[in-house]
mmCIF file of all heavy atoms in Angstrom:
data_model
loop_
_atom_site.group_PDB
_atom_site.id
_atom_site.type_symbol
_atom_site.label_atom_id
_atom_site.label_comp_id
_atom_site.label_asym_id
_atom_site.label_seq_id
_atom_site.Cartn_x
_atom_site.Cartn_y
_atom_site.Cartn_z
ATOM 1 N N PHE M 110 1.160 5.491 -11.367
ATOM 2 C CA PHE M 110 1.309 6.478 -12.361
ATOM 3 C C PHE M 110 2.773 6.778 -12.724
ATOM 4 O O PHE M 110 3.017 7.890 -13.064
ATOM 5 C CB PHE M 110 0.595 7.705 -12.083
ATOM 6 C CG PHE M 110 -0.899 7.531 -11.894
ATOM 7 C CD1 PHE M 110 -1.567 7.929 -10.747
ATOM 8 C CD2 PHE M 110 -1.605 6.950 -12.935
ATOM 9 C CE1 PHE M 110 -2.855 7.719 -10.616
ATOM 10 C CE2 PHE M 110 -3.041 6.703 -12.761
ATOM 11 C CZ PHE M 110 -3.589 7.149 -11.539
ATOM 12 N N THR M 111 3.696 5.875 -12.492
ATOM 13 C CA THR M 111 5.084 6.059 -12.848
ATOM 14 C C THR M 111 5.574 5.045 -13.903
ATOM 15 O O THR M 111 4.726 4.183 -14.329
ATOM 16 C CB THR M 111 6.083 6.002 -11.570
ATOM 17 O OG1 THR M 111 5.977 4.683 -11.079
ATOM 18 C CG2 THR M 111 5.617 6.984 -10.553
ATOM 19 N N GLN M 112 6.793 5.072 -14.245
ATOM 20 C CA GLN M 112 7.463 4.155 -15.227
ATOM 21 C C GLN M 112 7.439 2.819 -14.639
ATOM 22 O O GLN M 112 7.682 1.690 -15.337
ATOM 23 C CB GLN M 112 8.784 4.604 -15.591
ATOM 24 C CG GLN M 112 8.801 5.855 -16.567
ATOM 25 C CD GLN M 112 8.049 5.622 -17.798
ATOM 26 O OE1 GLN M 112 8.131 4.474 -18.424
ATOM 27 N NE2 GLN M 112 7.271 6.528 -18.141
ATOM 28 N N PHE M 113 7.220 2.660 -13.302
ATOM 29 C CA PHE M 113 7.291 1.266 -12.690
ATOM 30 C C PHE M 113 6.144 0.399 -13.237
ATOM 31 O O PHE M 113 6.459 -0.782 -13.400
ATOM 32 C CB PHE M 113 7.068 1.386 -11.159
ATOM 33 C CG PHE M 113 7.447 0.079 -10.442
ATOM 34 C CD1 PHE M 113 8.638 -0.199 -10.161
ATOM 35 C CD2 PHE M 113 6.418 -0.620 -9.920
ATOM 36 C CE1 PHE M 113 9.012 -1.451 -9.449
ATOM 37 C CE2 PHE M 113 6.708 -1.891 -9.266
ATOM 38 C CZ PHE M 113 7.991 -2.206 -9.028
ATOM 39 N N GLU M 114 5.018 1.046 -13.452
ATOM 40 C CA GLU M 114 3.924 0.213 -14.016
ATOM 41 C C GLU M 114 4.264 -0.310 -15.449
ATOM 42 O O GLU M 114 3.906 -1.382 -15.834
ATOM 43 C CB GLU M 114 2.642 1.014 -14.042
ATOM 44 C CG GLU M 114 2.129 1.224 -12.586
ATOM 45 C CD GLU M 114 0.822 1.892 -12.591
ATOM 46 O OE1 GLU M 114 0.301 2.278 -13.661
ATOM 47 O OE2 GLU M 114 0.288 2.191 -11.441
ATOM 48 N N ALA M 115 5.040 0.558 -16.288
ATOM 49 C CA ALA M 115 5.378 0.132 -17.577
ATOM 50 C C ALA M 115 6.386 -0.995 -17.477
ATOM 51 O O ALA M 115 6.440 -1.968 -18.256
ATOM 52 C CB ALA M 115 5.941 1.311 -18.255
ATOM 53 N N ALA M 116 7.234 -0.928 -16.435
ATOM 54 C CA ALA M 116 8.232 -2.004 -16.237
ATOM 55 C C ALA M 116 7.570 -3.342 -15.835
ATOM 56 O O ALA M 116 8.026 -4.397 -16.401
ATOM 57 C CB ALA M 116 9.198 -1.670 -15.138
ATOM 58 N N LEU M 117 6.563 -3.251 -15.081
ATOM 59 C CA LEU M 117 5.830 -4.468 -14.782
ATOM 60 C C LEU M 117 5.018 -5.047 -15.990
ATOM 61 O O LEU M 117 4.877 -6.289 -16.184
ATOM 62 C CB LEU M 117 4.776 -4.265 -13.686
ATOM 63 C CG LEU M 117 5.307 -4.018 -12.347
ATOM 64 C CD1 LEU M 117 4.216 -3.695 -11.290
ATOM 65 C CD2 LEU M 117 6.173 -5.205 -11.886
ATOM 66 N N ARG M 118 4.524 -4.173 -16.822
ATOM 67 C CA ARG M 118 3.875 -4.586 -18.077
ATOM 68 C C ARG M 118 4.894 -5.146 -19.021
ATOM 69 O O ARG M 118 4.644 -6.260 -19.587
ATOM 70 C CB ARG M 118 3.204 -3.393 -18.729
ATOM 71 C CG ARG M 118 2.436 -3.727 -19.883
ATOM 72 C CD ARG M 118 1.579 -2.566 -20.442
ATOM 73 N NE ARG M 118 2.326 -1.289 -20.565
ATOM 74 C CZ ARG M 118 2.126 -0.204 -19.743
ATOM 75 N NH1 ARG M 118 1.306 -0.284 -18.845
ATOM 76 N NH2 ARG M 118 2.855 0.823 -19.919
ATOM 77 N N GLU M 119 6.106 -4.704 -19.021
ATOM 78 C CA GLU M 119 7.204 -5.286 -19.906
ATOM 79 C C GLU M 119 7.502 -6.653 -19.377
ATOM 80 O O GLU M 119 7.852 -7.548 -20.104
ATOM 81 C CB GLU M 119 8.447 -4.405 -19.977
ATOM 82 C CG GLU M 119 8.157 -3.143 -20.780
ATOM 83 C CD GLU M 119 8.112 -3.468 -22.208
ATOM 84 O OE1 GLU M 119 8.735 -4.305 -22.751
ATOM 85 O OE2 GLU M 119 7.341 -2.696 -22.831
ATOM 86 N N LEU M 120 7.590 -6.747 -18.085
ATOM 87 C CA LEU M 120 7.969 -7.992 -17.405
ATOM 88 C C LEU M 120 6.909 -9.087 -17.826
ATOM 89 O O LEU M 120 7.186 -10.304 -18.199
ATOM 90 C CB LEU M 120 7.955 -7.926 -15.971
ATOM 91 C CG LEU M 120 8.169 -9.316 -15.150
ATOM 92 C CD1 LEU M 120 9.567 -9.811 -15.506
ATOM 93 C CD2 LEU M 120 8.099 -8.911 -13.581
ATOM 94 N N THR M 121 5.635 -8.693 -17.785
ATOM 95 C CA THR M 121 4.555 -9.692 -18.169
ATOM 96 C C THR M 121 4.638 -10.026 -19.620
ATOM 97 O O THR M 121 4.613 -11.139 -19.921
ATOM 98 C CB THR M 121 3.158 -9.014 -17.810
ATOM 99 O OG1 THR M 121 3.157 -8.614 -16.514
ATOM 100 C CG2 THR M 121 2.002 -10.036 -18.142
ATOM 101 N N LEU M 122 4.722 -9.014 -20.428
ATOM 102 C CA LEU M 122 4.625 -9.309 -21.967
ATOM 103 C C LEU M 122 5.970 -9.906 -22.443
ATOM 104 O O LEU M 122 5.866 -10.963 -23.024
ATOM 105 C CB LEU M 122 4.369 -8.021 -22.715
ATOM 106 C CG LEU M 122 3.035 -7.440 -22.510
ATOM 107 C CD1 LEU M 122 2.843 -6.139 -23.271
ATOM 108 C CD2 LEU M 122 1.957 -8.358 -23.077
ATOM 109 N N PHE M 123 7.062 -9.288 -22.181
ATOM 110 C CA PHE M 123 8.317 -9.910 -22.605
ATOM 111 C C PHE M 123 8.767 -11.168 -21.894
ATOM 112 O O PHE M 123 9.162 -12.104 -22.504
ATOM 113 C CB PHE M 123 9.419 -8.784 -22.521
ATOM 114 C CG PHE M 123 10.680 -9.130 -23.057
ATOM 115 C CD1 PHE M 123 10.780 -9.313 -24.386
ATOM 116 C CD2 PHE M 123 11.829 -9.286 -22.314
ATOM 117 C CE1 PHE M 123 12.055 -9.607 -24.950
ATOM 118 C CE2 PHE M 123 13.055 -9.585 -22.778
ATOM 119 C CZ PHE M 123 13.187 -9.851 -24.258
ATOM 120 N N GLY M 124 8.524 -11.176 -20.630
ATOM 121 C CA GLY M 124 8.975 -12.309 -19.964
ATOM 122 C C GLY M 124 8.073 -13.502 -20.073
ATOM 123 O O GLY M 124 8.567 -14.614 -20.354
ATOM 124 N N PHE M 125 6.867 -13.378 -19.970
ATOM 125 C CA PHE M 125 5.925 -14.651 -20.130
ATOM 126 C C PHE M 125 5.656 -14.999 -21.559
ATOM 127 O O PHE M 125 5.820 -16.063 -21.982
ATOM 128 C CB PHE M 125 4.679 -14.388 -19.333
ATOM 129 C CG PHE M 125 3.678 -15.508 -19.435
ATOM 130 C CD1 PHE M 125 3.907 -16.693 -18.743
ATOM 131 C CD2 PHE M 125 2.564 -15.427 -20.238
ATOM 132 C CE1 PHE M 125 3.026 -17.837 -18.927
ATOM 133 C CE2 PHE M 125 1.720 -16.571 -20.323
ATOM 134 C CZ PHE M 125 1.970 -17.684 -19.715
ATOM 135 N N VAL M 126 5.117 -13.970 -22.356
ATOM 136 C CA VAL M 126 4.663 -14.256 -23.644
ATOM 137 C C VAL M 126 5.819 -14.592 -24.558
ATOM 138 O O VAL M 126 5.758 -15.670 -25.327
ATOM 139 C CB VAL M 126 3.814 -13.044 -24.201
ATOM 140 C CG1 VAL M 126 3.387 -13.276 -25.638
ATOM 141 C CG2 VAL M 126 2.617 -12.759 -23.372
ATOM 142 N N THR M 127 6.886 -13.906 -24.474
ATOM 143 C CA THR M 127 7.982 -14.108 -25.397
ATOM 144 C C THR M 127 8.688 -15.449 -24.979
ATOM 145 O O THR M 127 9.099 -16.311 -25.828
ATOM 146 C CB THR M 127 9.028 -12.992 -25.370
ATOM 147 O OG1 THR M 127 8.304 -11.810 -25.731
ATOM 148 C CG2 THR M 127 10.160 -13.232 -26.319
ATOM 149 N N GLY M 128 8.703 -15.700 -23.617
ATOM 150 C CA GLY M 128 9.372 -16.976 -23.143
ATOM 151 C C GLY M 128 8.509 -18.149 -23.636
ATOM 152 O O GLY M 128 9.113 -19.254 -24.018
ATOM 153 N N ALA M 129 7.187 -18.100 -23.618
ATOM 154 C CA ALA M 129 6.314 -19.133 -24.005
ATOM 155 C C ALA M 129 6.422 -19.377 -25.521
ATOM 156 O O ALA M 129 6.526 -20.538 -26.050
ATOM 157 C CB ALA M 129 4.968 -18.867 -23.689
ATOM 158 N N LEU M 130 6.553 -18.292 -26.359
ATOM 159 C CA LEU M 130 6.624 -18.404 -27.774
ATOM 160 C C LEU M 130 8.067 -18.934 -28.130
ATOM 161 O O LEU M 130 8.063 -19.908 -29.043
ATOM 162 C CB LEU M 130 6.452 -17.076 -28.452
ATOM 163 C CG LEU M 130 5.104 -16.492 -28.396
ATOM 164 C CD1 LEU M 130 5.110 -15.082 -29.008
ATOM 165 C CD2 LEU M 130 4.191 -17.365 -29.108
ATOM 166 N N PHE M 131 9.139 -18.642 -27.524
ATOM 167 C CA PHE M 131 10.396 -19.278 -27.756
ATOM 168 C C PHE M 131 10.438 -20.670 -27.440
ATOM 169 O O PHE M 131 10.902 -21.498 -28.207
ATOM 170 C CB PHE M 131 11.472 -18.482 -27.030
ATOM 171 C CG PHE M 131 11.864 -17.239 -27.637
ATOM 172 C CD1 PHE M 131 12.341 -16.138 -26.807
ATOM 173 C CD2 PHE M 131 11.852 -17.025 -29.094
ATOM 174 C CE1 PHE M 131 12.659 -14.870 -27.300
ATOM 175 C CE2 PHE M 131 12.112 -15.743 -29.552
ATOM 176 C CZ PHE M 131 12.582 -14.727 -28.692
ATOM 177 N N ALA M 132 9.902 -21.056 -26.243
ATOM 178 C CA ALA M 132 9.805 -22.438 -25.878
ATOM 179 C C ALA M 132 9.009 -23.289 -26.830
ATOM 180 O O ALA M 132 9.420 -24.445 -27.207
ATOM 181 C CB ALA M 132 9.226 -22.603 -24.482
#
Side-chain angles (χ1 to χ4, degrees):
F110 301 122
T111 64
Q112 292 297 321
F113 191 82
E114 291 182 359
L117 290 179
R118 188 173 43 251
E119 288 293 322
L120 176 64
T121 303
L122 291 176
F123 185 63
F125 178 74
V126 175
T127 307
L130 290 174
F131 284 147

